[in-house]
Amino acid sequence: MDFFNRELSWVEFNARVLNQACDKTLPLLERLKFMTITSSNFDEFFMVRVAGLKAKALSMPDWKDSSGLTAKEQLSKISKRVHELTDIQTEVLNREIIPSLAEKGIVYVSSKDFDSNQEHFSEILFNEEIFPLLTPLRADTNQTFSLITNLKLHGAYLLKPIVENPNIPTEFLTNAEESMVIVQIPKTVRRVIWLPSKNDQRYFTLVDDILEKFVTKLFPGYKVTDSLIFKATCDADFSVEEDKGDFIQAMENVLVKRDFAKPVRLVCNSSSPKIQEMLTEKLQLNPEDVYTVDGIVDISTLIDLREIEGFSELKFSSWKKSLIKGFVPGQPFWDKIKQGDILLHVPYQSYEPVLQFINDAADDPDVLAIKMTLYRTSNHSAI
């Protein structure tokens, strides 16, 4: 009996999600939603499944799964297929979705295309809201790379001192002619930045575009000779050790480890092959672990575009959810639950009964504790 490989089967599942983003019959913002789901799905896949395979390839090189593939063979096939899908994703986003959104009045503006008003607006935003949150770190120490955080955007910059300025600060200087500096883009800064509008059109840019435009303000006395925006996906294949007492604390410890674990994938733009090579070496990755995209690095954060008011024609029509039989909003239904289990079909039926159930329990003086099953964890969130 032949078996399919589990990991490769999952990659093909995500390829089918991507196919929804490629479907021109779907509304544009729904296509974008499937595009962002594809991106976030791959983040989690690499954090857990690929990280686990990398560990197994080192500790059990001769091990084979039920399909007959070693961990190393699986990693090679995964890399080849995901590179193909990443190229498709980037091509569809750049050549179909973004241009089509512009035609409908939602226009992406990169930093090189800012007009005077947009540049003035962006500079004020950078000075007041972004600049105070940025902390450049020299990249000549291993400690800097241990601080690269899972799934957060970073900028990498090569700096050269301006020779005609003898009073330049020396904190970024090394013995090398060029010094690399890493700047993390905090998640507290919104990724999608809405620019001043014109007529009926809405213009937006990304925080990484604004950083690229004004990053030299971080380095007085230096010129930026090369730059790269990147995101590292780190090993999150940790188990929770329940036998050590506090389960909640154990779970929190796992989530902290996820932030600063060993990188397993690098996603970056194509602006600097030199920095890309340096990062690959510093992060101890192989070339097949690097995914270079032409344009936007972290597609998953574009989901914020779906929150724009109006443009209902670019979304699916709202689903009218039904209520489960016997549920009356605002009235407790403990007796109904006592009669038997209630099965809720989400998203076809409203989730309101669950919310009311929790609220009723929280308000009931006879309830001593509320316990719920932790279904999954992903990047500091639990469902």
Side-chain angles (χ1 to χ4, degrees):
M1 181 182 294
D2 295 329
F3 292 92
F4 292 110
N5 175 263
R6 179 179 66 173
E7 319 306 349
L8 295 175
S9 295
W10 187 95
V11 171
E12 292 310 315
F13 153 74
N14 213 30
R16 293 192 291 275
V17 178
L18 180 58
N19 284 341
Q20 295 297 302
C22 300
D23 187 346
K24 295 182 180 180
T25 66
L26 297 182
L28 273 173
L29 288 176
E30 301 300 337
R31 293 179 64 187
L32 181 64
K33 180 188 70 174
F34 284 114
M35 184 76 69
T36 63
I37 292 172
T38 302
S39 183
S40 58
N41 279 353
F42 272 133
D43 284 340
E44 188 164 338
F45 177 70
F46 275 84
M47 284 165 56
V48 179
R49 302 309 313 167
V50 171
L53 283 174
K54 280 180 170 286
K56 188 159 285 186
L58 291 175
S59 62
M60 304 171 62
D62 297 326
W63 169 87
K64 293 183 179 181
D65 76 334
S66 56
S67 69
L69 295 175
T70 65
K72 186 175 181 180
E73 289 170 336
Q74 291 180 59
L75 289 170
S76 177
K77 290 179 178 291
I78 288 170
S79 176
K80 180 181 178 181
R81 181 58 172 147
V82 176
H83 272 95
E84 293 172 352
L85 295 174
T86 301
D87 290 343
I88 294 172
Q89 185 181 33
T90 303
E91 178 79 7
V92 172
L93 181 68
N94 290 343
R95 295 189 177 273
E96 293 184 23
I97 295 180
I98 288 180
S100 297
L101 284 173
E103 291 176 1
K104 298 295 185 180
I106 304 175
V107 184
Y108 168 59
V109 186
S110 65
S111 58
K112 66 179 183 298
D113 296 322
F114 285 168
D115 62 25
S116 57
N117 288 335
Q118 292 166 346
E119 183 168 343
H120 178 66
F121 172 87
S122 300
E123 185 171 14
I124 293 175
L125 181 71
F126 178 83
N127 291 337
E128 295 182 356
E129 296 187 24
I130 301 175
F131 180 88
L133 301 177
L134 302 179
T135 304
L137 297 173
R138 283 170 43 181
D140 60 334
T141 66
N142 291 331
Q143 184 180 9
T144 294
F145 289 94
S146 69
L147 294 175
I148 288 178
T149 309
N150 185 35
L151 299 183
K152 285 189 179 179
L153 280 173
H154 298 75
Y157 305 96
L158 290 181
L159 306 181
K160 219 172 186 180
I162 300 173
V163 178
E164 59 270 21
N165 186 349
N167 298 316
I168 60 173
T170 59
E171 60 263 33
F172 301 119
L173 285 177
T174 65
N175 294 327
E177 184 179 349
E178 288 182 315
S179 301
M180 185 163 72
V181 176
I182 305 295
V183 179
Q184 184 184 109
I185 302 175
K187 281 196 172 182
T188 52
V189 179
R190 61 188 187 277
R191 178 85 192 289
V192 175
I193 307 294
W194 292 103
L195 298 168
S197 301
K198 297 178 183 177
N199 302 322
D200 294 330
Q201 292 187 312
R202 297 292 306 275
Y203 292 84
F204 75 94
T205 192
L206 302 176
V207 68
D208 19 325
D209 284 290
I210 294 179
L211 178 62
E212 288 293 283
K213 185 72 174 178
F214 303 108
V215 72
T216 53
K217 294 189 176 190
L218 290 169
F219 314 117
Y222 297 85
K223 62 180 178 180
V224 177
T225 60
D226 240 345
S227 66
L228 186 83
I229 298 294
F230 71 93
K231 179 181 77 171
T233 311
C234 300
D235 182 355
D237 189 24
F238 302 112
S239 59
V240 180
E241 300 180 14
E242 299 182 54
D243 59 337
K244 292 190 175 180
D246 191 334
F247 176 80
I248 300 299
Q249 183 62 51
M251 179 59 69
E252 290 177 354
N253 293 338
V254 165
L255 294 176
V256 170
K257 287 181 181 179
R258 282 187 170 193
D259 270 351
F260 301 103
K262 183 179 179 180
V264 296
R265 178 181 64 153
L266 177 69
V267 183
C268 61
N269 61 16
S270 56
S271 60
S272 176
K274 183 176 181 179
I275 295 180
Q276 177 181 313
E277 184 178 349
M278 295 170 69
L279 286 174
T280 303
E281 179 182 353
K282 291 288 188 180
L283 295 174
Q284 300 179 344
L285 294 172
N286 299 316
E288 58 266 27
D289 299 322
V290 179
Y291 294 77
T292 306
V293 298
D294 182 17
I296 298 173
V297 172
D298 190 0
I299 295 175
S300 65
T301 53
L302 295 181
I303 192 65
D304 290 348
L305 292 179
R306 295 193 75 256
E307 303 304 317
I308 186 173
E309 294 183 2
F311 300 95
S312 58
E313 72 280 5
L314 303 183
K315 307 175 187 177
F316 288 137
S317 56
S318 299
W319 177 264
K320 294 182 179 180
K321 300 176 182 178
S322 61
L323 291 172
I324 57 174
K325 186 177 180 181
F327 172 73
V328 179
Q331 295 183 10
F333 57 109
W334 299 106
D335 293 339
K336 185 70 177 177
I337 296 175
K338 290 177 182 177
Q339 295 173 12
D341 293 339
I342 297 176
L343 183 63
L344 195 65
H345 295 270
V346 178
Y348 305 104
Q349 291 179 312
S350 172
Y351 199 68
E352 181 60 30
V354 178
L355 299 179
Q356 183 172 318
F357 173 73
I358 296 172
N359 286 330
D360 289 345
D363 294 336
D364 192 327
D366 292 330
V367 174
L368 300 180
I370 301 175
K371 297 185 178 182
M372 302 177 68
T373 300
L374 181 65
Y375 168 55
R376 62 190 292 215
T377 60
S378 175
N379 194 29
H380 286 286
S381 63
I383 298 177

